Amino acid sequence: KNEVEQSPQNLTAQEGEFITINCSYSVGISALHWLQQHPGGGIVSLFMLSSGKKKHGRLIATINIQEKHSSLHITASHPRDSAVYICARGGFGNEKLTFGTGTRLTIIP
Amino acid sequence: KAGVTQTPRYLIKTRGQQVTLSCSPISGHRSVSWYQQTPGQGLQFLFEYFSETQRNKGNFPGRFSGRQFSNSRSEMNVSTLELGDSALYLCASRGSMVLQETQYFGPGTRLLVL
């Protein structure tokens, strides 16, 4: 079993829909990261959180430490949100990053 | 500030050769991490360097090595290339290993081993 599990693996939605991507981890964390990867490979770090909730524009990330679960929400989705979203645990101090397998999101105009 | 840069962006090698990839972090960042991304295994951590010292290492064979220079630039080397080493190699930099800081990723080097 992977330390970090994501669901769904693939998600197709219509423009404007509310999107939720889930991430569960099996080992306690120092930090949970959400990353975005567009075709071509470049990765952008969206959020790093260890508790509560963070918001940036139309993106919201939440984490429940007790349940070892995090969600990434996208409001009013747009075709430019089409990308692979990856969650990862760790990365604080000497702790290496361990990645989920990613969720491929496609937003149809 | 300029972002993380990686060279070369694309590379084709044959089995048995060796390859060196380069990563220049964001100015002022002292930590550089390397990752391998393949369709089968996804993203995997290779190693992290801070102040010219390897601080952490992933589960890769000894053919994968790296180093960091005094200006924080880093190189990774893969010797005796295998077909399975074909992948996107990403590096990322952050300012500190003590604080919770975001990692900034470079565009990656796409390596194809024939």
Short mmCIF file of all heavy atoms in Angstrom, two decimals, chain A residues 30-31 33 35 37 40-50 54 84 86 91-101, chain B residues 9-10 35 37 41-45 48 55-59 88 90 94 97-107 110:
data_model
loop_
_atom_site.label_atom_id
_atom_site.label_comp_id
_atom_site.label_asym_id
_atom_site.label_seq_id
_atom_site.Cartn_x
_atom_site.Cartn_y
_atom_site.Cartn_z
N SER A 30 4.56 15.88 8.68
CA SER A 30 5.02 17.20 9.09
C SER A 30 4.34 18.25 8.22
O SER A 30 4.07 19.35 8.67
CB SER A 30 6.54 17.30 8.94
OG SER A 30 6.92 17.02 7.59
N ALA A 31 4.09 17.89 6.97
CA ALA A 31 3.43 18.82 6.05
C ALA A 31 2.82 18.03 4.91
O ALA A 31 3.27 16.93 4.57
CB ALA A 31 4.43 19.84 5.50
N HIS A 33 1.54 18.57 0.89
CA HIS A 33 1.70 19.48 -0.23
C HIS A 33 0.72 19.14 -1.34
O HIS A 33 0.44 17.96 -1.58
CB HIS A 33 3.12 19.39 -0.81
CG HIS A 33 4.21 19.59 0.19
ND1 HIS A 33 4.96 20.73 0.24
CD2 HIS A 33 4.68 18.77 1.17
CE1 HIS A 33 5.86 20.62 1.21
NE2 HIS A 33 5.71 19.44 1.79
N LEU A 35 0.51 19.84 -5.44
CA LEU A 35 1.30 20.29 -6.58
C LEU A 35 0.45 20.22 -7.84
O LEU A 35 -0.46 19.39 -7.94
CB LEU A 35 2.55 19.41 -6.76
CG LEU A 35 3.40 19.15 -5.51
CD1 LEU A 35 4.45 18.10 -5.81
CD2 LEU A 35 4.05 20.44 -5.03
N GLN A 37 0.82 19.90 -12.08
CA GLN A 37 1.74 19.63 -13.18
C GLN A 37 1.00 19.73 -14.50
O GLN A 37 0.08 18.96 -14.77
CB GLN A 37 2.39 18.26 -13.04
CG GLN A 37 3.47 17.98 -14.09
CD GLN A 37 4.22 16.70 -13.83
OE1 GLN A 37 3.68 15.74 -13.29
NE2 GLN A 37 5.49 16.68 -14.19
N GLY A 40 3.94 18.87 -20.40
CA GLY A 40 5.26 19.46 -20.58
C GLY A 40 6.12 19.27 -19.36
O GLY A 40 7.35 19.35 -19.43
N GLY A 41 5.49 19.03 -18.22
CA GLY A 41 6.24 18.57 -17.06
C GLY A 41 6.42 19.53 -15.91
O GLY A 41 6.62 19.10 -14.79
N GLY A 42 6.34 20.84 -16.14
CA GLY A 42 6.63 21.77 -15.07
C GLY A 42 5.70 21.61 -13.88
O GLY A 42 4.49 21.43 -14.04
N ILE A 43 6.25 21.63 -12.69
CA ILE A 43 5.46 21.45 -11.46
C ILE A 43 5.44 22.76 -10.69
O ILE A 43 6.47 23.41 -10.52
CB ILE A 43 6.05 20.34 -10.59
CG1 ILE A 43 5.83 18.98 -11.26
CG2 ILE A 43 5.43 20.35 -9.20
CD1 ILE A 43 6.40 17.80 -10.48
N VAL A 44 4.24 23.10 -10.23
CA VAL A 44 4.07 24.29 -9.40
C VAL A 44 3.53 23.85 -8.06
O VAL A 44 2.60 23.04 -7.99
CB VAL A 44 3.09 25.28 -10.06
CG1 VAL A 44 2.79 26.44 -9.12
CG2 VAL A 44 3.65 25.78 -11.37
N SER A 45 4.11 24.35 -7.00
CA SER A 45 3.62 24.06 -5.67
C SER A 45 2.43 24.97 -5.38
O SER A 45 2.55 26.19 -5.44
CB SER A 45 4.72 24.28 -4.64
OG SER A 45 4.27 23.98 -3.36
N LEU A 46 1.27 24.36 -5.10
CA LEU A 46 0.06 25.13 -4.85
C LEU A 46 -0.10 25.46 -3.37
O LEU A 46 -0.38 26.60 -3.01
CB LEU A 46 -1.17 24.35 -5.32
CG LEU A 46 -1.26 24.03 -6.81
CD1 LEU A 46 -2.47 23.13 -7.08
CD2 LEU A 46 -1.34 25.30 -7.63
N PHE A 47 0.01 24.46 -2.54
CA PHE A 47 -0.19 24.64 -1.11
C PHE A 47 0.77 23.75 -0.33
O PHE A 47 1.15 22.68 -0.77
CB PHE A 47 -1.62 24.24 -0.68
CG PHE A 47 -2.71 25.08 -1.25
CD1 PHE A 47 -3.49 24.61 -2.30
CD2 PHE A 47 -2.99 26.34 -0.73
CE1 PHE A 47 -4.51 25.38 -2.84
CE2 PHE A 47 -4.01 27.12 -1.25
CZ PHE A 47 -4.76 26.64 -2.31
N MET A 48 1.13 24.22 0.84
CA MET A 48 1.80 23.41 1.84
C MET A 48 1.05 23.67 3.14
O MET A 48 0.91 24.83 3.56
CB MET A 48 3.26 23.77 1.98
CG MET A 48 4.00 22.96 3.03
SD MET A 48 5.75 23.36 3.08
CE MET A 48 5.69 25.05 3.61
N LEU A 49 0.51 22.63 3.74
CA LEU A 49 -0.25 22.84 4.97
C LEU A 49 -0.05 21.71 5.95
O LEU A 49 0.23 20.58 5.56
CB LEU A 49 -1.75 23.05 4.65
CG LEU A 49 -2.62 21.95 4.06
CD1 LEU A 49 -4.11 22.30 4.18
CD2 LEU A 49 -2.28 21.70 2.61
N SER A 50 -0.15 22.04 7.20
CA SER A 50 -0.03 21.04 8.26
C SER A 50 -1.26 21.02 9.15
O SER A 50 -1.39 20.16 10.01
CB SER A 50 1.22 21.28 9.09
OG SER A 50 1.25 22.60 9.57
N LYS A 54 -6.32 26.33 3.64
CA LYS A 54 -5.69 27.46 2.96
C LYS A 54 -6.44 27.74 1.67
O LYS A 54 -6.97 26.81 1.04
CB LYS A 54 -4.22 27.17 2.66
CG LYS A 54 -3.33 27.19 3.89
CD LYS A 54 -1.86 27.14 3.51
CE LYS A 54 -0.98 27.28 4.74
NZ LYS A 54 0.46 27.25 4.41
N VAL A 84 -2.41 17.70 -14.01
CA VAL A 84 -2.32 16.61 -13.04
C VAL A 84 -2.05 17.25 -11.68
O VAL A 84 -1.15 18.08 -11.54
CB VAL A 84 -1.19 15.62 -13.39
CG1 VAL A 84 -1.05 14.57 -12.30
CG2 VAL A 84 -1.48 14.95 -14.73
N ILE A 86 -1.07 16.58 -7.77
CA ILE A 86 -0.32 15.59 -7.00
C ILE A 86 -0.25 16.03 -5.55
O ILE A 86 0.06 17.19 -5.27
CB ILE A 86 1.12 15.44 -7.54
CG1 ILE A 86 1.08 15.06 -9.03
CG2 ILE A 86 1.90 14.39 -6.74
CD1 ILE A 86 2.43 15.22 -9.71
N GLY A 91 8.69 16.56 3.59
CA GLY A 91 9.42 17.70 3.05
C GLY A 91 9.82 18.72 4.08
O GLY A 91 10.33 19.79 3.73
N PHE A 92 9.60 18.41 5.35
CA PHE A 92 10.00 19.35 6.40
C PHE A 92 11.28 18.83 7.04
O PHE A 92 11.37 17.67 7.41
CB PHE A 92 8.89 19.47 7.44
CG PHE A 92 9.24 20.37 8.59
CD1 PHE A 92 9.56 21.70 8.36
CD2 PHE A 92 9.24 19.90 9.90
CE1 PHE A 92 9.88 22.55 9.41
CE2 PHE A 92 9.55 20.75 10.96
CZ PHE A 92 9.88 22.06 10.72
N GLY A 93 12.25 19.71 7.18
CA GLY A 93 13.52 19.28 7.74
C GLY A 93 14.16 18.23 6.86
O GLY A 93 14.25 18.38 5.65
N ASN A 94 14.57 17.13 7.46
CA ASN A 94 15.22 16.06 6.71
C ASN A 94 14.24 15.06 6.09
O ASN A 94 14.65 14.09 5.47
CB ASN A 94 16.17 15.28 7.62
CG ASN A 94 17.50 15.98 7.77
OD1 ASN A 94 17.87 16.80 6.94
ND2 ASN A 94 18.20 15.67 8.83
N GLU A 95 12.96 15.29 6.29
CA GLU A 95 11.97 14.33 5.82
C GLU A 95 11.77 14.46 4.31
O GLU A 95 11.47 15.53 3.80
CB GLU A 95 10.64 14.57 6.53
CG GLU A 95 9.61 13.49 6.31
CD GLU A 95 8.30 13.81 7.00
OE1 GLU A 95 8.13 14.97 7.43
OE2 GLU A 95 7.43 12.92 7.08
N LYS A 96 11.93 13.35 3.58
CA LYS A 96 11.79 13.40 2.13
C LYS A 96 10.31 13.51 1.76
O LYS A 96 9.42 13.13 2.52
CB LYS A 96 12.38 12.15 1.49
CG LYS A 96 11.65 10.88 1.83
CD LYS A 96 12.25 9.67 1.13
CE LYS A 96 11.42 8.43 1.41
NZ LYS A 96 11.93 7.24 0.72
N LEU A 97 10.07 14.01 0.55
CA LEU A 97 8.72 14.07 0.02
C LEU A 97 8.32 12.70 -0.53
O LEU A 97 9.09 12.07 -1.24
CB LEU A 97 8.62 15.10 -1.10
CG LEU A 97 8.42 16.57 -0.74
CD1 LEU A 97 8.40 17.43 -1.99
CD2 LEU A 97 7.13 16.77 0.05
N THR A 98 7.12 12.26 -0.16
CA THR A 98 6.55 11.03 -0.71
C THR A 98 5.28 11.42 -1.45
O THR A 98 4.39 12.06 -0.87
CB THR A 98 6.22 10.01 0.39
OG1 THR A 98 7.41 9.73 1.13
CG2 THR A 98 5.69 8.73 -0.21
N PHE A 99 5.17 11.00 -2.70
CA PHE A 99 4.13 11.51 -3.58
C PHE A 99 3.00 10.51 -3.78
O PHE A 99 3.20 9.29 -3.79
CB PHE A 99 4.73 11.84 -4.95
CG PHE A 99 5.81 12.87 -4.91
CD1 PHE A 99 7.13 12.51 -4.72
CD2 PHE A 99 5.50 14.21 -5.07
CE1 PHE A 99 8.15 13.46 -4.69
CE2 PHE A 99 6.50 15.18 -5.05
CZ PHE A 99 7.82 14.80 -4.84
N GLY A 100 1.80 11.05 -3.99
CA GLY A 100 0.70 10.25 -4.50
C GLY A 100 0.87 10.06 -6.00
O GLY A 100 1.77 10.65 -6.62
N THR A 101 -0.02 9.27 -6.58
CA THR A 101 0.11 8.94 -8.00
C THR A 101 -0.49 10.00 -8.91
O THR A 101 -0.34 9.93 -10.12
CB THR A 101 -0.56 7.59 -8.30
OG1 THR A 101 -1.88 7.62 -7.79
CG2 THR A 101 0.22 6.45 -7.66
N ARG B 9 17.55 20.36 -21.28
CA ARG B 9 16.12 20.06 -21.16
C ARG B 9 15.77 18.70 -21.71
O ARG B 9 14.86 18.04 -21.23
CB ARG B 9 15.31 21.14 -21.88
CG ARG B 9 15.40 22.52 -21.26
CD ARG B 9 14.71 22.58 -19.89
NE ARG B 9 13.38 22.02 -19.90
CZ ARG B 9 12.29 22.66 -20.30
NH1 ARG B 9 12.38 23.91 -20.72
NH2 ARG B 9 11.12 22.06 -20.30
N TYR B 10 16.49 18.27 -22.73
CA TYR B 10 16.24 16.98 -23.35
C TYR B 10 17.59 16.30 -23.63
O TYR B 10 18.57 16.97 -23.94
CB TYR B 10 15.47 17.14 -24.67
CG TYR B 10 14.16 17.86 -24.52
CD1 TYR B 10 14.09 19.24 -24.69
CD2 TYR B 10 13.00 17.17 -24.19
CE1 TYR B 10 12.88 19.91 -24.54
CE2 TYR B 10 11.80 17.84 -24.03
CZ TYR B 10 11.75 19.21 -24.21
OH TYR B 10 10.56 19.87 -24.05
N TYR B 35 14.37 14.62 -8.16
CA TYR B 35 13.29 13.66 -8.26
C TYR B 35 13.29 13.02 -9.64
O TYR B 35 13.66 13.64 -10.63
CB TYR B 35 11.93 14.35 -8.05
CG TYR B 35 11.81 15.06 -6.73
CD1 TYR B 35 12.15 16.41 -6.61
CD2 TYR B 35 11.39 14.38 -5.59
CE1 TYR B 35 12.06 17.07 -5.39
CE2 TYR B 35 11.30 15.04 -4.38
CZ TYR B 35 11.64 16.39 -4.28
OH TYR B 35 11.55 17.02 -3.08
N GLN B 37 10.65 11.10 -12.33
CA GLN B 37 9.24 10.85 -12.63
C GLN B 37 9.13 9.94 -13.84
O GLN B 37 9.64 10.25 -14.91
CB GLN B 37 8.49 12.15 -12.89
CG GLN B 37 6.98 11.95 -13.05
CD GLN B 37 6.22 13.24 -13.24
OE1 GLN B 37 6.71 14.18 -13.87
NE2 GLN B 37 5.03 13.32 -12.68
N GLN B 41 6.15 4.54 -12.06
CA GLN B 41 6.42 4.76 -10.64
C GLN B 41 6.03 6.14 -10.14
O GLN B 41 6.06 6.39 -8.94
CB GLN B 41 7.93 4.55 -10.36
CG GLN B 41 8.43 3.15 -10.68
CD GLN B 41 7.79 2.11 -9.80
OE1 GLN B 41 7.59 2.33 -8.61
NE2 GLN B 41 7.44 0.97 -10.37
N GLY B 42 5.67 7.03 -11.03
CA GLY B 42 5.32 8.38 -10.61
C GLY B 42 6.55 9.15 -10.16
O GLY B 42 7.67 8.89 -10.61
N LEU B 43 6.34 10.08 -9.26
CA LEU B 43 7.42 10.90 -8.74
C LEU B 43 8.10 10.20 -7.57
O LEU B 43 7.44 9.76 -6.63
CB LEU B 43 6.87 12.23 -8.25
CG LEU B 43 6.84 13.39 -9.24
CD1 LEU B 43 5.95 14.51 -8.72
CD2 LEU B 43 8.24 13.92 -9.50
N GLN B 44 9.43 10.14 -7.62
CA GLN B 44 10.18 9.52 -6.54
C GLN B 44 11.36 10.40 -6.16
O GLN B 44 12.03 10.95 -7.04
CB GLN B 44 10.69 8.13 -6.96
CG GLN B 44 9.59 7.11 -7.16
CD GLN B 44 10.14 5.76 -7.53
OE1 GLN B 44 10.53 5.51 -8.66
NE2 GLN B 44 10.20 4.86 -6.55
N PHE B 45 11.61 10.47 -4.90
CA PHE B 45 12.70 11.28 -4.36
C PHE B 45 14.03 10.58 -4.58
O PHE B 45 14.19 9.38 -4.28
CB PHE B 45 12.45 11.50 -2.87
CG PHE B 45 13.59 12.13 -2.13
CD1 PHE B 45 13.83 13.49 -2.21
CD2 PHE B 45 14.41 11.35 -1.32
CE1 PHE B 45 14.86 14.08 -1.51
CE2 PHE B 45 15.44 11.93 -0.61
CZ PHE B 45 15.68 13.28 -0.70
N GLU B 48 18.63 14.92 -1.56
CA GLU B 48 18.60 16.35 -1.27
C GLU B 48 19.97 16.78 -0.77
O GLU B 48 20.59 16.09 0.03
CB GLU B 48 17.54 16.70 -0.23
CG GLU B 48 17.51 18.21 0.09
CD GLU B 48 16.33 18.62 0.96
OE1 GLU B 48 15.72 17.75 1.61
OE2 GLU B 48 16.02 19.83 0.99
N ARG B 55 21.85 15.40 2.46
CA ARG B 55 21.12 15.34 3.74
C ARG B 55 20.12 14.20 3.77
O ARG B 55 19.68 13.78 4.84
CB ARG B 55 20.37 16.66 3.97
CG ARG B 55 21.26 17.86 3.98
CD ARG B 55 22.26 17.84 5.12
NE ARG B 55 23.15 18.98 5.09
CZ ARG B 55 23.46 19.69 6.17
NH1 ARG B 55 22.97 19.37 7.34
NH2 ARG B 55 24.30 20.70 6.06
N ASN B 56 19.72 13.71 2.60
CA ASN B 56 18.72 12.67 2.56
C ASN B 56 18.84 11.95 1.23
O ASN B 56 19.26 12.55 0.22
CB ASN B 56 17.32 13.29 2.70
CG ASN B 56 16.32 12.36 3.35
OD1 ASN B 56 16.52 11.15 3.39
ND2 ASN B 56 15.24 12.91 3.86
N LYS B 57 18.49 10.66 1.23
CA LYS B 57 18.64 9.88 0.01
C LYS B 57 17.46 8.96 -0.15
O LYS B 57 16.99 8.35 0.84
CB LYS B 57 19.95 9.07 0.09
CG LYS B 57 20.37 8.39 -1.20
CD LYS B 57 21.71 7.71 -1.04
CE LYS B 57 22.27 7.19 -2.35
NZ LYS B 57 21.36 6.31 -3.09
N GLY B 58 16.97 8.82 -1.37
CA GLY B 58 15.88 7.89 -1.64
C GLY B 58 16.42 6.50 -1.93
O GLY B 58 17.61 6.23 -1.79
N ASN B 59 15.51 5.61 -2.34
CA ASN B 59 15.86 4.21 -2.57
C ASN B 59 16.25 3.97 -4.02
O ASN B 59 15.52 3.33 -4.78
CB ASN B 59 14.68 3.32 -2.18
CG ASN B 59 14.37 3.42 -0.71
OD1 ASN B 59 15.26 3.56 0.12
ND2 ASN B 59 13.09 3.38 -0.38
N LEU B 88 11.62 11.74 -16.59
CA LEU B 88 11.76 13.18 -16.40
C LEU B 88 12.45 13.38 -15.05
O LEU B 88 11.99 12.87 -14.03
CB LEU B 88 10.39 13.85 -16.40
CG LEU B 88 10.36 15.36 -16.17
CD1 LEU B 88 11.00 16.10 -17.34
CD2 LEU B 88 8.92 15.85 -15.97
N LEU B 90 13.53 15.96 -12.26
CA LEU B 90 13.19 17.30 -11.77
C LEU B 90 14.05 17.66 -10.58
O LEU B 90 14.36 16.80 -9.75
CB LEU B 90 11.72 17.33 -11.33
CG LEU B 90 10.69 17.18 -12.45
CD1 LEU B 90 9.44 16.50 -11.95
CD2 LEU B 90 10.35 18.53 -13.05
N ARG B 94 14.74 25.06 -2.18
CA ARG B 94 14.10 25.80 -1.11
C ARG B 94 15.18 26.49 -0.31
O ARG B 94 16.36 26.13 -0.38
CB ARG B 94 13.24 24.89 -0.21
CG ARG B 94 13.96 23.70 0.38
CD ARG B 94 13.05 22.93 1.32
NE ARG B 94 13.65 21.64 1.70
CZ ARG B 94 13.30 20.97 2.79
NH1 ARG B 94 12.38 21.43 3.59
NH2 ARG B 94 13.87 19.81 3.07
N MET B 97 16.24 24.10 5.33
CA MET B 97 15.72 22.80 5.70
C MET B 97 15.08 22.84 7.09
O MET B 97 14.54 21.85 7.55
CB MET B 97 16.83 21.75 5.71
CG MET B 97 17.31 21.38 4.32
SD MET B 97 18.48 20.02 4.35
CE MET B 97 17.41 18.66 4.84
N VAL B 98 15.14 23.99 7.73
CA VAL B 98 14.63 24.09 9.09
C VAL B 98 13.18 24.56 9.09
O VAL B 98 12.33 24.01 9.76
CB VAL B 98 15.49 25.07 9.91
CG1 VAL B 98 14.91 25.26 11.28
CG2 VAL B 98 16.92 24.57 9.99
N LEU B 99 12.91 25.56 8.29
CA LEU B 99 11.56 26.11 8.24
C LEU B 99 10.70 25.34 7.25
O LEU B 99 11.20 24.68 6.36
CB LEU B 99 11.62 27.57 7.80
CG LEU B 99 12.50 28.48 8.66
CD1 LEU B 99 12.57 29.87 8.04
CD2 LEU B 99 11.96 28.55 10.08
N GLN B 100 9.39 25.40 7.44
CA GLN B 100 8.48 24.79 6.48
C GLN B 100 8.40 25.72 5.27
O GLN B 100 7.72 26.73 5.31
CB GLN B 100 7.10 24.60 7.10
CG GLN B 100 7.00 23.39 7.99
CD GLN B 100 5.56 23.01 8.26
OE1 GLN B 100 4.64 23.69 7.84
NE2 GLN B 100 5.36 21.91 8.95
N GLU B 101 9.12 25.38 4.24
CA GLU B 101 9.17 26.24 3.06
C GLU B 101 8.73 25.48 1.83
O GLU B 101 9.00 24.29 1.68
CB GLU B 101 10.59 26.75 2.84
CG GLU B 101 11.06 27.76 3.86
CD GLU B 101 12.31 28.49 3.42
OE1 GLU B 101 12.70 28.35 2.24
OE2 GLU B 101 12.90 29.19 4.24
N THR B 102 8.10 26.21 0.94
CA THR B 102 7.69 25.64 -0.34
C THR B 102 8.92 25.29 -1.16
O THR B 102 9.93 25.99 -1.14
CB THR B 102 6.85 26.68 -1.11
OG1 THR B 102 5.69 26.97 -0.36
CG2 THR B 102 6.44 26.14 -2.47
N GLN B 103 8.81 24.18 -1.89
CA GLN B 103 9.85 23.84 -2.85
C GLN B 103 9.46 24.41 -4.21
O GLN B 103 8.30 24.35 -4.61
CB GLN B 103 10.01 22.32 -2.96
CG GLN B 103 10.59 21.69 -1.72
CD GLN B 103 11.21 20.34 -1.99
OE1 GLN B 103 11.44 19.96 -3.13
NE2 GLN B 103 11.50 19.61 -0.93
N TYR B 104 10.43 24.95 -4.91
CA TYR B 104 10.22 25.49 -6.25
C TYR B 104 10.88 24.55 -7.25
O TYR B 104 12.09 24.30 -7.16
CB TYR B 104 10.80 26.90 -6.35
CG TYR B 104 10.08 27.89 -5.46
CD1 TYR B 104 10.45 28.05 -4.13
CD2 TYR B 104 9.01 28.64 -5.95
CE1 TYR B 104 9.78 28.95 -3.31
CE2 TYR B 104 8.34 29.54 -5.13
CZ TYR B 104 8.73 29.68 -3.81
OH TYR B 104 8.06 30.56 -3.01
N PHE B 105 10.08 24.07 -8.20
CA PHE B 105 10.56 23.07 -9.13
C PHE B 105 11.08 23.70 -10.42
O PHE B 105 10.56 24.72 -10.89
CB PHE B 105 9.43 22.09 -9.49
CG PHE B 105 9.10 21.13 -8.39
CD1 PHE B 105 8.28 21.51 -7.33
CD2 PHE B 105 9.60 19.84 -8.41
CE1 PHE B 105 7.98 20.62 -6.31
CE2 PHE B 105 9.29 18.93 -7.40
CZ PHE B 105 8.49 19.33 -6.35
N GLY B 106 12.09 23.06 -10.98
CA GLY B 106 12.57 23.43 -12.29
C GLY B 106 11.72 22.77 -13.37
O GLY B 106 10.84 21.97 -13.07
N PRO B 107 12.00 23.07 -14.64
CA PRO B 107 11.21 22.53 -15.74
C PRO B 107 11.50 21.07 -16.05
O PRO B 107 10.73 20.42 -16.75
CB PRO B 107 11.60 23.41 -16.92
CG PRO B 107 12.99 23.85 -16.59
CD PRO B 107 13.02 24.01 -15.10
N ARG B 110 14.30 15.83 -19.61
CA ARG B 110 13.70 14.58 -20.09
C ARG B 110 14.80 13.74 -20.71
O ARG B 110 15.40 14.11 -21.71
CB ARG B 110 12.60 14.88 -21.10
CG ARG B 110 11.68 13.70 -21.35
CD ARG B 110 10.43 14.11 -22.10
NE ARG B 110 9.54 14.98 -21.35
CZ ARG B 110 8.65 14.56 -20.47
NH1 ARG B 110 8.53 13.27 -20.20
NH2 ARG B 110 7.86 15.42 -19.85
#
